[in-house]
Amino acid sequence: MLQKFGFTQYESQVYEAIFAQKEPLDASSIVNHSNVPKAKIYEVLNRLIDKGIVLTTMHGKKKLYTAVDLQSVILKIKADFEKDIEELNTYKIKRTFTDEHIWTLKDETSIGSNIEQLMAEADSSILFLAWNEKMENYRRLLEQKEKQGVHVEVLSVGGLETSLTNKYALIPMLDKLEPLQLLIVDHAYLLFAGIENDSWKAIKTMSKPIVKAMTDYFYHDIALTQITKKYGDQLLQDEEISKLLARLIY
């Protein structure tokens, strides 16, 4: 388990070997209990001492080792992790180049993290289209960015309670719709996500033609949302228009 938190296999074996014994061990005994090569044992022990999870003392001419309690190790790992996260949050990298590649994302958590990062780094504008349950995840961040002076426009499928100035609510005309997420930041960064084979997948790009086309797509849906909101009853009476609307996001 320790290997999941940055410890090597030898470090994990040595810690477990020492921790499992009631009495402190010398290096030779640790070799026997841990199956770590004798040539490596002092190097591994010194690393564990530096990491603060193994203690050492002298008993006569012999150096003995004991392990810090596992709960203390867990608290240390947690504290170190939180410190590293805090330092990472203060380190900002702003892209200054144009990347025309189209990158793919296949993990829902990764897609969400990318959306949040793009929103957080927005300088001038955010356009966001999503189903209301997904949009709620970013509502506070969007409201915060608007207060910072970023122009924010959202189109929420199903409606959303928010203080945002430029908000549009689309009530779908069809019961079964596949959810999607469209994010355009600073008219330069695009992330488009949808469900394929029951899994979220997305593309991310700075390609200007694609960003422009999807920006038009965003405003196209806002226009249709407002038109159908005002004239929906009349439009749905026309069979041809009704069929066309059904083939769109509606």
Side-chain angles (χ1 to χ4, degrees):
M1 291 297 294
L2 289 176
Q3 293 179 59
K4 293 184 177 181
F5 300 97
F7 292 83
T8 67
Q9 181 178 342
Y10 282 170
E11 289 172 346
S12 302
Q13 290 174 213
V14 168
Y15 174 80
E16 184 175 0
I18 301 173
F19 184 73
Q21 305 303 314
K22 294 182 179 180
E23 302 294 333
L25 302 178
D26 60 18
S28 298
S29 299
I30 294 171
V31 169
N32 294 332
H33 287 289
S34 67
N35 293 320
V36 172
K38 186 175 182 180
K40 290 284 188 180
I41 195 65
Y42 287 105
E43 176 187 341
V44 175
L45 283 168
N46 286 334
R47 289 204 302 266
L48 291 174
I49 291 170
D50 290 340
K51 291 181 177 182
I53 71 169
V54 166
L55 307 178
T56 183
T57 188
M58 294 300 299
H59 183 70
K61 295 183 179 180
K62 185 178 293 186
K63 184 176 282 190
L64 300 179
Y65 302 88
T66 188
V68 173
D69 183 83
L70 182 59
Q71 289 302 315
S72 297
V73 174
I74 292 171
L75 291 174
K76 170 183 166 51
I77 291 172
K78 182 179 179 181
D80 288 344
F81 178 79
E82 290 175 349
K83 180 181 177 182
D84 291 341
I85 289 294
E86 185 177 349
E87 291 180 0
L88 189 59
N89 277 329
T90 63
Y91 188 72
K92 300 296 183 182
I93 302 175
K94 190 66 178 178
R95 293 181 181 271
T96 58
F97 64 93
T98 299
D99 181 1
E100 295 292 330
H101 292 90
I102 299 174
W103 303 95
T104 59
L105 298 169
K106 293 186 178 180
D107 178 74
E108 184 176 359
T109 303
S110 178
I111 292 171
S113 298
N114 274 265
I115 290 175
E116 186 170 349
Q117 177 192 0
L118 286 170
M119 287 181 178
E121 294 180 351
D123 289 326
S124 59
S125 65
I126 296 174
L127 308 179
F128 189 41
L129 185 159
W131 266 236
N132 52 4
E133 61 267 22
K134 286 294 183 182
M135 188 167 290
E136 177 62 30
N137 296 335
Y138 313 103
R139 177 180 55 79
R140 291 184 180 179
L141 177 56
L142 289 166
E143 291 171 351
Q144 178 184 351
K145 296 302 290 187
E146 184 175 67
K147 290 179 181 178
Q148 293 173 356
V150 175
H151 178 77
V152 178
E153 291 187 65
V154 298
L155 174 56
S156 173
V157 180
L160 180 72
E161 291 295 327
T162 175
S163 63
L164 291 170
T165 303
N166 301 294
K167 56 187 177 184
Y168 304 91
L170 169 63
I171 307 303
M173 295 181 180
L174 299 179
D175 293 331
K176 294 183 179 180
L177 292 176
E178 291 189 356
L180 58 86
Q181 299 177 80
L182 170 62
L183 174 66
I184 302 166
V185 171
D186 297 340
H187 298 289
Y189 303 91
L190 165 75
L191 190 148
F192 181 79
I195 291 182
E196 181 179 335
N197 297 324
D198 297 323
S199 298
W200 279 96
K201 295 183 180 179
I203 62 169
K204 183 180 179 182
T205 187
M206 293 174 66
S207 173
K208 291 182 179 180
I210 297 177
V211 172
K212 184 180 184 305
M214 296 306 286
T215 300
D216 291 343
Y217 173 90
F218 177 82
Y219 284 114
H220 160 274
D221 278 344
I222 286 182
L224 283 177
T225 296
Q226 296 303 93
I227 290 171
T228 51
K229 182 178 180 180
K230 192 170 184 178
Y231 303 106
D233 292 340
Q234 295 172 261
L235 293 173
L236 291 176
Q237 292 177 7
D238 187 303
E239 184 177 353
E240 182 180 1
I241 294 178
S242 179
K243 289 181 179 179
L244 287 172
L245 290 174
R247 293 173 62 184
L248 299 171
I249 189 172
Y250 304 93

